[in-house]
């Protein structure tokens, strides 16, 4: 009967669509790469802005729109590559790693220049933080499965860019990866019957590679991140 109680709970939750749209517009115009404030500080401000039920739904929408935009960008890149060279690529959003292994040098990492106007280290980082922190509330309000898929999808693209796309991991990128892993753990813990981990997550957890993490200027290594070591205790417990 837990599913029935959860359904009744969802019916009792009141949303304000106008406020949600206002929050989305505020996120698009007030935050991003053009500001003078550090990405980490902007991400924290985004999390504070998205407090409350409407903010939580907006946070889920930000992550979903970002993942959808990244997929659309890669489809367009694959189509353009086929037009120019006749080489056909398979773009499977359930697992981007084969695509990047095959054609990484010919692809543009999409996460920093998407048409949705969300920056991965600002709006997306702030959004995944709030949905993770409020995951028990989230699963009462909406089906968390699509959001969980989007969280893993962004993590997949982040890791694939580092490994195959010549993308340098900096402190903001590493912070995003850690937030994505933590949020995936929190959403799964709040679900009655969490789904199996997706193939790219399982592949990453079998690895034990240290990736250098650079300062924001990209000139100096300041630490390292081991995605497998981070993901195993978070997602296998």
């Amino acid at each position: 009967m837990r599913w029935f109680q959860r359904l009744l709970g969802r019916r009792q939750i009141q949303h304000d669509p106008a406020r949600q749209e206002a929050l989305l517009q505020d996120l698009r115009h007030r935050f991003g790469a053009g500001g003078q404030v550090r990405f980490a500080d902007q991400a924290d401000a985004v999390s504070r802005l998205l407090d409350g039920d409407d903010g939580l739904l907006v946070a889920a929408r930000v992550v979903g729109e970002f993942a959808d935009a990244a997929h659309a960008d890669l489809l367009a890149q694959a189509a353009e590559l086929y037009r120019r060279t006749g080489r056909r690529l398979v773009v499977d959003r359930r697992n981007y790693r084969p695509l990047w292994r095959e054609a990484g040098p010919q692809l543009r990492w999409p996460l920093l220049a998407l048409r949705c106007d969300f920056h991965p280290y600002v709006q997306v980082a702030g959004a995944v933080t709030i949905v993770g922190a409020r995951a028990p509330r989230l699963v009462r309000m909406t089906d968390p499965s699509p959001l969980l898929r989007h969280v893993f999808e962004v993590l997949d693209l982040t890791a694939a860019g580092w490994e195959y796309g010549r993308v340098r991991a900096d402190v903001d990128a590493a912070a995003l990866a850690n937030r994505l892993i933590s949020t995936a753990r929190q959403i799964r813990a709040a679900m009655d019957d969490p789904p199996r981990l997706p193939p790219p997550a399982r592949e990453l957890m079998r690895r034990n590679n240290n990736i250098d993490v650079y300062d924001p200027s990209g000139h100096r290594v300041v630490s390292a991140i081991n995605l497998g070591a981070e993901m195993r205790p978070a997602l296998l417990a």
Side-chain angles (χ1 to χ4, degrees):
M1 294 296 289
R2 292 184 67 182
W3 66 268
F4 184 68
Q5 294 171 350
R6 182 164 292 167
L7 178 62
L8 289 178
R10 289 177 186 169
R11 289 178 177 173
Q12 295 169 0
I13 295 170
Q14 300 296 315
H15 306 311
D16 185 345
R19 182 169 185 272
Q20 292 176 28
E21 288 300 320
L23 283 171
L24 273 172
Q25 293 306 312
D26 199 9
L27 289 177
R28 292 186 201 276
H29 295 114
R30 203 199 321 172
F31 302 96
Q36 300 299 313
V37 181
R38 292 190 316 141
F39 287 157
D41 294 334
Q42 290 192 67
D44 289 343
V46 167
S47 296
R48 292 192 296 272
L49 179 67
L50 296 179
D51 188 30
D53 286 349
D54 287 310
L56 184 56
L57 291 176
V58 168
R61 184 169 165 184
V62 166
V63 180
E65 287 190 14
F66 187 78
D68 288 345
H71 179 242
D73 184 277
L74 287 171
L75 285 174
Q77 289 191 57
E80 174 61 19
L81 187 64
Y82 177 71
R83 185 190 67 78
R84 289 190 291 105
T85 68
R87 183 181 185 186
R88 192 180 299 275
L89 297 174
V90 176
V91 182
D92 182 358
R93 67 188 302 179
R94 295 169 300 180
N95 188 357
Y96 287 115
R97 293 179 67 78
L99 169 71
W100 283 91
R101 269 194 296 264
E102 179 182 355
Q106 297 174 279
L107 295 174
R108 179 188 68 255
W109 196 58
L111 299 191
L112 292 176
L114 293 177
R115 293 184 178 181
C116 62
D117 293 327
F118 295 138
H119 195 287
Y121 309 151
V122 179
Q123 292 98 332
V124 177
V128 297
T129 299
I130 200 68
V131 298
R134 302 195 65 212
R137 179 63 172 171
L138 177 78
V139 300
R140 290 187 55 206
M141 298 171 62
T142 188
D143 178 6
S145 297
L147 175 61
L148 183 60
R149 288 196 299 270
H150 293 144
V151 167
F152 277 120
E153 191 174 349
V154 178
L155 180 60
D156 181 12
L157 284 169
T158 300
W162 294 348
E163 292 186 66
Y164 308 112
R166 298 165 302 185
V167 176
R168 180 170 286 185
D170 64 15
V171 292
D172 295 303
L176 173 64
N178 281 322
R179 290 184 193 228
L180 291 164
I181 293 167
S182 176
T183 294
R185 175 187 62 79
Q186 291 165 309
I187 295 174
R188 286 172 56 81
M191 299 174 72
D192 291 336
D193 186 21
R196 290 189 65 200
L197 294 170
R202 296 199 301 271
E203 181 179 337
L204 285 170
M205 285 192 294
R206 290 193 294 267
R207 301 165 69 97
N208 202 39
N209 297 344
N210 284 318
I211 299 171
D212 288 338
V213 174
Y214 289 78
D215 65 20
S217 69
H219 299 309
R220 182 170 58 94
V221 174
V222 294
S223 63
I225 184 170
N226 185 323
L227 289 175
E230 296 288 339
M231 295 171 70
R232 287 190 293 271
L235 301 176
L236 293 179

